Amino acid sequence: MLLSVLSEAGTDPDPTPTPTPKPPTFEDAQESATNAASWVEQNWSTWLGIGLRIVLIVAIAIVLRILVRRAITKLIDRMNRTANAVDGTALGGLLVNVERRRQRSQAIGSVLRSVASFLILGTAALMILGAFEINLAPLLASAGVAGVAIGFGARNLVTDFLSGVFMILEDQYGVGDTIDAGVASGEVIEVGLRVTKLRGENGEIWYVRNGEVKRIGNLSQGWSTAGVDVTVRPDEDLEKVRATLAEVGEAMAKDEPWNERLWGPVEILGLDSVLLDSMVVRVSAKTMPGKSLGVERELRWRIKRAFDEAGIRIVGGLAPQPAEDASADPAAGVAAPSAYASTTSPQSLATAPITPPAQPPHLSK
């Protein structure tokens, strides 16, 4: 009866007993230790070689990075010393100011040091991964895809950065220069790798992205030209006008501070145009960068005073008024009477309205 109940319940009347695991013995532990020691003995040389290679790679990368950064710093310092050596000389006037040299040197040094560190440390990291026998092909492929994606997403930022780097390296402009960048113009107050700050004529500050600058006109490098057009009457004596302008130029070249701002003699280029009522004489002078407007204003001031003393009249003044004649008839300026003033004149009758015809008596009723 018991056997039938057990068979209906699905139990085996004679189950096989499960073998219990043997507790580890000393011989088993000794065998495992022997296997581990043999494995370590077989691979310790490989581990040691990999460790020494990694240490050597890291040491070389650190030393190389220090040497390269130090060399870049010395190069930038030498550039500053060369510029300071000519400061105060005739050649120093053509160079940029101290603030511009300092900022340009810092920007160039920062860019070069960052690029050198990125290249050295990146190469060292790839060599360390290669020492562990890691397949770098998938990693490089993933990095390439990520770089392309970042490049497409931040192409404007990359363009601004690269444009700023080349602007600084090529010394297109610097702090203190007056430039025309197309989208804005003014004095440069800060040069960055992404944005350039300009101060406009009215004091406003323009933030110009370097990637948007298509052309740059630097008004502060080399020298500037001051040009003045003098308009006189066509009947003036040209030799007298030339002599007066020459005296003005010579006197201005001897006075302070114009003798420093003028980098050449005031030249009389000749007649620029001749018209029926005027003629234009062109005067030009080479000046210090950024000082052309001040020289032009001073030239106009001196020319006007010299012309007044020499009796040369500049076109544009008031014409002399004729003297009044006391014997003139006061009624000469009165207009003749009009024919329309009389109501009986033919002209007044012709312009009178037409009277409508009278209606018959039977129609009026």
Side-chain angles (χ1 to χ4, degrees):
M1 187 67 177
L2 180 60
L3 292 177
S4 61
V5 173
L6 291 175
S7 60
E8 291 178 358
T11 59
D12 190 0
D14 189 13
T16 303
T18 303
T20 58
K22 298 179 179 180
T25 60
F26 178 76
E27 290 78 5
D28 295 337
Q30 185 177 6
E31 183 179 1
S32 299
T34 303
N35 294 335
S38 62
W39 184 79
V40 171
E41 184 179 0
Q42 292 175 2
N43 297 281
W44 75 270
S45 59
T46 304
W47 290 356
L48 182 61
I50 293 175
L52 291 177
R53 188 181 302 175
I54 293 174
V55 172
L56 184 61
I57 291 173
V58 172
I60 292 176
I62 293 175
V63 173
L64 184 61
R65 179 174 178 269
I66 294 174
L67 293 178
V68 172
R69 291 174 66 90
R70 185 171 299 176
I72 293 173
T73 303
K74 289 184 178 180
L75 178 62
I76 298 301
D77 293 340
R78 181 176 299 178
M79 292 172 57
N80 289 335
R81 288 197 300 269
T82 303
N84 292 330
V86 298
D87 197 8
T89 62
L91 180 60
L94 297 174
L95 298 177
V96 294
N97 54 32
V98 177
E99 176 63 21
R100 173 177 173 179
R101 286 197 299 266
R102 184 190 63 81
Q103 188 171 7
R104 178 170 176 261
S105 301
Q106 289 182 354
I108 294 175
S110 176
V111 171
L112 293 179
R113 284 190 290 266
S114 299
V115 171
S117 299
F118 177 77
L119 293 177
I120 293 173
L121 297 180
T123 304
L126 293 178
M127 293 178 66
I128 291 174
L129 293 178
F132 285 105
E133 298 182 356
I134 297 176
N135 188 10
L136 299 179
L139 180 62
L140 295 178
S142 301
V145 173
V148 172
I150 294 175
F152 276 108
R155 58 184 180 274
N156 292 332
L157 182 62
V158 175
T159 302
D160 297 339
F161 180 81
L162 294 178
S163 299
V165 170
F166 282 105
M167 286 178 181
I168 294 175
L169 293 178
E170 296 174 0
D171 194 17
Q172 297 180 7
Y173 56 84
V175 175
D177 288 351
T178 302
I179 67 171
D180 181 4
V183 294
S185 60
E187 181 182 355
V188 180
I189 59 177
E190 184 178 344
V191 180
L193 294 178
R194 192 182 69 87
V195 175
T196 298
K197 293 182 182 180
L198 304 177
R199 185 175 295 279
E201 296 180 354
N202 298 325
E204 69 275 9
I205 296 180
W206 299 96
Y207 294 84
V208 181
R209 289 171 44 195
N210 296 329
E212 293 182 350
V213 179
K214 304 302 180 183
R215 62 170 180 83
I216 296 176
N218 196 325
L219 308 179
S220 301
Q221 284 186 353
W223 46 269
S224 300
T225 302
V228 176
D229 292 333
V230 182
T231 306
V232 296
R233 295 181 304 179
D235 56 350
E236 292 289 349
D237 186 3
L238 289 178
E239 294 301 328
K240 184 178 181 181
V241 172
R242 181 189 293 272
T244 305
L245 293 176
E247 292 177 0
V248 171
E250 293 176 359
M252 185 174 177
K254 297 178 182 178
D255 296 341
E256 294 283 348
W258 310 109
N259 54 354
E260 296 180 358
R261 299 179 183 180
L262 286 173
W263 285 10
V266 178
E267 299 180 359
I268 304 170
L269 303 181
L271 285 176
D272 190 68
S273 64
V274 179
L275 303 176
L276 294 176
D277 57 348
S278 65
M279 59 182 178
V280 179
V281 181
R282 182 73 173 178
V283 180
S284 177
K286 185 181 294 186
T287 68
M288 184 184 296
K291 303 299 182 181
S292 59
L293 292 179
V295 173
E296 290 177 359
R297 296 188 183 101
E298 183 66 17
L299 267 176
R300 293 189 185 98
W301 181 280
R302 291 173 178 257
I303 290 173
K304 179 63 172 63
R305 293 180 58 183
F307 277 16
D308 291 343
E309 295 176 358
I312 303 174
R313 195 172 65 202
I314 298 177
V315 172
L318 295 176
Q321 299 293 333
E324 297 183 357
D325 189 3
S327 62
D329 186 7
V334 180
S338 175
Y340 294 97
S342 176
T343 57
T344 59
S345 64
Q347 290 81 0
S348 298
L349 295 176
T351 57
I354 300 175
T355 305
Q359 296 181 355
H362 68 275
L363 293 177
S364 62
K365 294 180 181 180

